[in-house]
Amino acid sequence: MLPRPVSRAAPVRSGGRYAPGMEAHVFRDGALGADPVPLDELRSTVSDLAEGEWLWVDAVDPSSDELTALQRQLDLHDLAVEDVQQRNQRPKLDLYPVHAFAVFRPLSYGPDGLKGSELFLFVSHRFLVTLRFPPVFEIEKAKHRWPILATLAPGPCSALYAVADEIVDDYLEVVEELEDRADELEGEVFRSEPVQGEGAPLQLEILRLRRDAVRLKRHAIPTRQAIDRLADDSDLVTERLVPYLRDITDHLLRTIELTDGVREILTTIVDIRMAQSANQLNEVMKKLSAWAGIILVPTLIAGIYGMNFRHMPELNWVFGYPFALGMMVVSAVALYVGFRKRGWL
């Protein structure tokens, strides 16, 4: 039986007011509670949780004051909160005495290329905190999996697994998009009759794809390290949850391998483009050299007969002028035919 949809909850109150973009709910009996928990009651709510219950706090683009309030209510570590405020963190997992702190970098691929966001998570035996920053990563799919995972591996760490799994699945979709686009570019490069003037846009597209591939790998490698550390070193992970985390690392390994394949394809395309450019330049130089040779011989003949010497043979010859012109034409035609046979023209 599929879990029932989780309704969008109201924002959390703080000091009698609502904190925009923040919500907190207790997960009990396999579902999130409908009643929101006020921000100033998080500590007492965590203390009153029964066995198998945990608190979920979600904040979208939280302010410094909201982060300070969360830190005070849930005893979040100073260094972890500082990382959230610094932003642009590398994917990682830090283990603290009270909780674990994870940084994930969700990615998506659209018409404008690769887009990324930031997701910070605090997880303990009693709570899960998700802090999302624009462009906001949607966790609705992960939330719908929480009731199912609660029966397999109870606790907030299974919810963290669901979020991480959705992020890694997006990584696979991104690398597939990169592969498709790389194949398209490869086909364009190998076309027999390239379109004039397309060289610069095509080169820019190749470089952009290489940059996106590098960025994807730069996020996938530390994410795999973080998941491995979570599975090996954290007491938050139950034995039943370990195989699911290993499945994430397998997907990340596949993502890294496919990304390397995309980079190799793009590197090959760049090499082919350079070879094509060199060959095209060689063809141009051949044509220029051929026309220079054709022009050179008539110019030489005209130069010889144009010298102002008194005693030169054929100066007084009636047919001298037609003869010189004929030599120019014959030599030019002979050179043109010769270059044409050799494929220079």
Side-chain angles (χ1 to χ4, degrees):
M1 184 176 182
L2 295 176
R4 60 183 177 85
V6 180
S7 60
R8 185 175 297 276
V12 179
R13 292 179 298 166
S14 176
R17 294 175 299 174
Y18 285 96
M22 183 176 291
E23 57 180 314
H25 297 270
V26 174
F27 188 90
R28 61 166 58 96
D29 299 329
L32 287 172
D35 296 330
V37 179
L39 180 59
D40 52 4
E41 297 179 10
L42 295 181
R43 180 183 294 274
S44 60
T45 301
V46 171
S47 300
D48 296 337
L49 290 175
E51 184 68 23
E53 297 178 349
W54 50 273
L55 176 70
W56 173 54
V57 181
D58 180 60
V60 176
D61 198 11
S63 64
S64 298
D65 293 339
E66 292 169 346
L67 288 176
T68 302
L70 277 175
Q71 181 182 11
R72 184 173 59 252
Q73 289 288 324
L74 300 177
D75 296 325
L76 304 180
H77 200 278
D78 293 339
L79 293 177
V81 175
E82 182 181 353
D83 285 342
V84 176
Q85 293 174 334
Q86 295 277 339
R87 305 281 302 281
N88 295 320
Q89 297 291 322
R90 183 175 181 265
K92 65 177 182 177
L93 177 76
D94 293 332
L95 300 177
Y96 297 104
V98 179
H99 61 79
F101 172 66
V103 180
F104 292 129
R105 301 299 297 269
L107 297 174
S108 61
Y109 193 83
D112 298 329
L114 198 63
K115 292 184 178 180
S117 58
E118 293 180 88
L119 177 62
F120 301 91
L121 299 99
F122 295 87
V123 60
S124 74
H125 291 287
R126 311 290 280 174
F127 63 80
L128 172 68
V129 178
T130 54
L131 305 178
R132 298 178 287 160
F133 293 87
V136 177
F137 172 71
E138 297 295 335
I139 61 174
E140 293 300 320
K141 291 182 179 179
K143 287 170 59 178
H144 280 79
R145 297 173 58 188
W146 290 356
I148 299 175
L149 291 171
T151 61
L152 299 175
C157 199
S158 62
L160 183 147
Y161 153 76
V163 174
D165 191 46
E166 292 296 333
I167 293 173
V168 174
D169 287 344
D170 289 343
Y171 282 7
L172 287 173
E173 292 180 5
V174 168
V175 76
E176 289 175 359
E177 291 285 348
L178 293 178
E179 278 188 317
D180 293 341
R181 186 57 188 142
D183 291 339
E184 293 176 4
L185 290 177
E186 190 176 28
E188 293 181 20
V189 168
F190 279 104
R191 283 189 309 184
S192 58
E193 296 181 359
V195 179
Q196 296 295 329
E198 73 170 359
L202 182 59
Q203 192 74 12
L204 289 176
E205 178 68 9
I206 295 172
L207 295 177
R208 185 179 66 82
L209 279 180
R210 290 187 65 180
R211 180 196 61 193
D212 291 343
V214 170
R215 185 179 174 189
L216 174 59
K217 185 176 180 180
R218 189 179 298 162
H219 291 337
I221 291 178
T223 301
R224 183 190 177 196
Q225 295 171 349
I227 298 298
D228 283 338
R229 188 181 182 193
L230 180 65
D232 295 337
D233 302 335
S234 177
D235 59 355
L236 299 171
V237 178
T238 61
E239 185 176 351
R240 298 184 65 181
L241 190 60
V242 171
Y244 295 92
L245 295 176
R246 296 301 183 198
D247 182 65
I248 292 182
T249 58
D250 289 341
H251 289 175
L252 286 168
L253 179 61
R254 182 186 174 195
T255 298
I256 295 170
E257 292 175 348
L258 292 176
T259 303
D260 288 336
V262 172
R263 293 183 63 188
E264 290 179 3
I265 292 175
L266 295 174
T267 300
T268 302
I269 293 175
V270 171
D271 293 339
I272 293 172
R273 289 287 298 171
M274 294 179 63
Q276 288 177 337
S277 298
N279 183 64
Q280 185 177 6
L281 179 61
N282 185 46
E283 291 295 324
V284 172
M285 293 302 298
K286 286 165 61 176
K287 288 181 172 59
L288 291 176
S289 299
W291 284 111
I294 292 173
I295 296 173
L296 176 62
V297 175
T299 303
L300 175 64
I301 297 173
I304 292 174
Y305 282 96
M307 292 186 295
N308 296 322
F309 290 106
R310 181 181 299 275
H311 301 288
M312 286 183 65
E314 303 157 353
L315 285 179
N316 296 322
W317 186 27
V318 177
F319 300 105
Y321 181 68
F323 177 74
L325 292 179
M327 288 181 61
M328 295 179 190
V329 173
V330 170
S331 62
V333 171
L335 288 172
Y336 179 83
V337 173
F339 286 130
R340 186 78 175 181
K341 288 183 178 180
R342 288 169 175 79
W344 283 40
L345 292 174

